[in-house]
């Protein structure tokens, strides 16, 4: 599941770009007079009264104005280009540096030394992951286009709207929301029916690579996309806070599925072995970035030590169910 969070991040590169551009007011909303006459515009007749017929004709001729989707195709092209460049460059670099050039020394770097996906599994995860990435790119392009064209969200740029205290508090609050949403939705996906029909697609890769991060059943994939987009529409969030969480989850999502043992500089962030254990044992470590909810619900398989000696890593199960 964790991968579904990270996998959507590179698809949101275009959204991040739009947020940055709007922050510095480099782009205007509705740059010509015809665009100013959107569904909110009022067309005045010769006697000064409102002409509903004129408004209807205007929106009928240019329906993209009504849905705030002016220039959508450009956003889709931009999203697909940026996303796939990031996807294949990051995942490809990890694959080449570790899985190709250091394959014979996997005990020095791999979470599951000496174990690798079969070539057919690698091709499958790339194909499924690329399809999901494509659909996520389209979703991000819709959101970015809608936001750029003045569509209503709960994102804001001016700190004075809610003050610095609110901004500072909203960052860990959004982080905890992501943790909670990811954990409980992930647990739901492990219920027999959901697992058998949806989540098993992802657990087909018991020895994950970075490409596994997007290899999901499309239905499950979009369940997580919707959950993680939700805060932008229901709770006031500064754009920097929203983007920061996107980028944080994007980076650690890829790392946690890389199969490479990597520790974090942040004390709350678990090493990559934490989620690798979930793929290996299935019924533990459901958390996104931390072990907070796994500890709370007794699903934690704690990692105490990892040493690059023929893949030796002592482990301890704490309250595992």
């Amino acid at each position: 599941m964790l991968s579904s969070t990270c996998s959507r991040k590179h698809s949101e590169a275009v959204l991040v770009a739009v947020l940055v551009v709007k922050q510095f007011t480099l782009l205007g909303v509705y740059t010509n007079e015809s665009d100013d006459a959107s569904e909110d515009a009022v067309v005045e007749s010769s006697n000064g009264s409102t002409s509903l017929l004129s408004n209807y004709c205007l929106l009928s001729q240019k329906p993209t104005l009504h849905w705030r989707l002016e220039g959508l195709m450009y956003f889709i092209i931009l999203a697909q280009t940026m996303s796939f460049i990031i996807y294949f460059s990051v995942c490809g670099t990890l694959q080449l540096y570790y899985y190709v050039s250091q394959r014979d020394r996997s005990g020095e770097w791999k979470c599951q030394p000496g174990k690798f996906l079969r070539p057919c599994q690698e091709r499958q995860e790339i194909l499924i992951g690329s399809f999901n990435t494509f659909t996520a790119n389209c979703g991000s392009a819709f959101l970015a286009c809608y936001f750029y064209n003045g569509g209503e969200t709960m994102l804001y740029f001016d700190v004075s709207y809610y003050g610095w205290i609110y901004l500072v508090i909203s960052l860990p609050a959004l982080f905890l929301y992501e943790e909670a949403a990811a954990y409980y939705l992930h647990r739901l996906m492990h219920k027999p029916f959901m697992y058998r029909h949806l989540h098993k697609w992802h657990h087909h890769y018991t020895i994950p690579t970075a490409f596994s991060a997007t290899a999901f059943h499309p239905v499950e994939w979009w369940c997580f996309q919707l959950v993680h987009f939700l805060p932008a529409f229901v709770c006031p969030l500064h754009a920097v806070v929203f983007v920061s969480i996107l980028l944080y989850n994007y980076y650690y999502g890829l790392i946690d599925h890389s199969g490479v043992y990597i520790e974090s500089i942040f004390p709350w962030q678990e090493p990559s072995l934490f989620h690798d254990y979930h793929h290996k044992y299935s019924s533990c470590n459901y958390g996104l970035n931390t072990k907070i909810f796994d500890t709370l619900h007794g699903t934690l398989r704690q990692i105490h030590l990892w040493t690059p000696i023929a893949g030796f890593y002592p482990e301890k199960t704490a309250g595992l169910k």
Side-chain angles (χ1 to χ4, degrees), residues 32 37 45 75 77 81 91 144 176 181 188 198 237 265 292 299 311 313:
N32 55 59
S45 63
F75 283 90
I77 294 173
T81 302
C91 296
L176 288 175
L188 177 63
L198 299 178
L237 291 170
I265 61 173
I292 294 175
T299 56
Y313 39 86

Side-chain angles (χ1 to χ4, degrees), residues 7 16 19 34-35 59 124 139 151 183 192 205 260 291 306-307:
S7 55
V16 172
L19 293 176
S34 64
D35 286 346
L59 296 178
Q124 184 186 61
Y183 180 87
Y205 312 104
V260 180
K291 59 185 179 183
W306 183 93
T307 54

Side-chain angles (χ1 to χ4, degrees), residues 8-9 12 15-16 19 143 147 153-156 170-171 174 177-178 227-233 235-249:
R8 73 188 175 90
K9 303 309 173 192
E12 290 169 354
L15 175 58
V16 172
L19 293 176
L143 180 60
F147 182 72
T153 69
M154 297 297 285
L155 299 178
Y156 67 95
S170 66
L171 182 63
L174 180 59
Y177 163 80
E178 295 274 353
V227 166
H228 293 296
F229 275 125
L230 188 62
F233 294 92
C235 180
L237 291 170
H238 194 280
V240 172
V241 170
F242 187 64
V243 169
S244 296
I245 296 299
L246 292 185
L247 295 178
Y248 183 94
N249 286 335

Side-chain angles (χ1 to χ4, degrees), residues 17-318:
V18 168
L19 293 176
V20 172
V21 169
K22 285 180 71 69
Q23 172 68 58
F24 292 99
T25 62
L26 297 179
L27 294 175
V29 178
Y30 302 132
T31 55
N32 55 59
E33 291 182 2
S34 64
D35 286 346
D36 286 330
S38 65
E39 87 279 353
D40 293 328
V42 177
V43 178
E44 298 294 332
S45 63
S46 58
N47 61 2
S49 62
T50 301
S51 175
L52 296 179
L53 179 59
S54 298
N55 282 331
Y56 174 79
C57 291
L58 174 64
L59 296 178
S60 298
Q61 293 171 358
K62 208 164 187 179
T64 53
L65 289 176
H66 178 73
W67 297 105
R68 307 286 191 177
L69 295 176
E70 184 77 5
L72 175 62
M73 186 54 62
Y74 296 104
F75 283 90
I76 292 177
I77 294 173
L78 180 62
Q80 300 294 351
T81 302
M82 294 176 65
S83 174
F84 277 107
I85 288 176
I86 295 173
Y87 177 62
F88 284 108
S89 61
V90 174
C91 296
T93 298
L94 288 169
Q95 197 78 3
L96 289 174
Y97 183 77
Y98 289 103
Y99 287 83
V100 176
S101 64
Q102 301 185 56
R103 191 181 186 91
D104 59 341
R105 304 196 307 274
S106 64
E108 300 176 5
W109 56 268
K110 206 170 189 309
C111 292
Q112 300 184 49
K115 297 181 180 181
F116 299 90
L117 292 176
R118 298 190 303 274
C120 62
Q121 289 179 302
E122 293 181 346
R123 291 192 296 270
Q124 184 186 61
E125 67 175 355
I126 292 175
L127 288 174
I128 295 175
S130 296
F131 173 78
N132 285 335
T133 298
F134 175 83
T135 63
N137 294 341
C138 292
S140 293
F142 269 87
L143 180 60
C145 184
Y146 174 80
F147 182 72
Y148 168 65
N149 283 295
E152 294 184 5
T153 69
M154 297 297 285
L155 299 178
Y156 67 95
F157 293 100
D158 191 346
V159 177
S160 64
Y161 284 172
Y162 296 94
W164 282 100
I165 295 178
Y166 180 86
L167 184 146
V168 172
I169 293 176
S170 66
L171 182 63
L174 180 59
F175 182 83
L176 288 175
Y177 163 80
E178 295 274 353
E179 288 294 304
Y183 180 87
Y184 292 114
L185 192 51
H186 194 182
R187 288 293 301 272
L188 177 63
M189 289 297 168
H190 274 260
K191 297 298 181 182
F193 178 85
M194 303 295 282
Y195 185 87
R196 184 168 59 254
H197 294 284
L198 299 178
H199 198 52
K200 190 176 181 179
W201 279 41
H202 187 57
H203 275 275
H204 182 61
Y205 312 104
T206 56
I207 312 165
T209 72
F211 287 110
S212 304
T214 52
F216 272 81
H217 189 291
V219 173
E220 179 186 2
W221 169 267
W222 274 102
C223 286
F224 284 107
Q225 305 313 301
L226 295 175
V227 166
H228 293 296
F229 275 125
L230 188 62
F233 294 92
V234 300
C235 180
L237 291 170
H238 194 280
V240 172
V241 170
F242 187 64
V243 169
S244 296
I245 296 299
L246 292 185
L247 295 178
Y248 183 94
N249 286 335
Y250 162 59
Y251 173 75
Y252 280 108
L254 286 179
I255 294 301
D256 289 344
H257 283 85
S258 67
V260 180
Y261 183 82
I262 301 175
E263 293 186 346
S264 172
I265 61 173
F266 302 110
W268 59 81
Q269 179 71 41
E270 291 298 299
S272 58
L273 190 59
F274 174 80
H275 189 68
D276 198 276
Y277 268 24
H278 178 72
H279 279 261
K280 183 178 181 180
Y281 299 108
S282 185
S283 59
C284 64
N285 297 9
Y286 297 93
L288 179 59
N289 296 302
T290 74
K291 59 185 179 183
I292 294 175
F293 292 95
D294 282 295
T295 301
L296 180 64
H297 293 288
T299 56
L300 175 67
R301 184 180 285 271
Q302 182 64 58
I303 304 164
H304 289 292
L305 178 67
W306 183 93
T307 54
I309 305 174
F312 170 71
Y313 39 86
E315 62 190 61
K316 179 181 179 181
T317 300

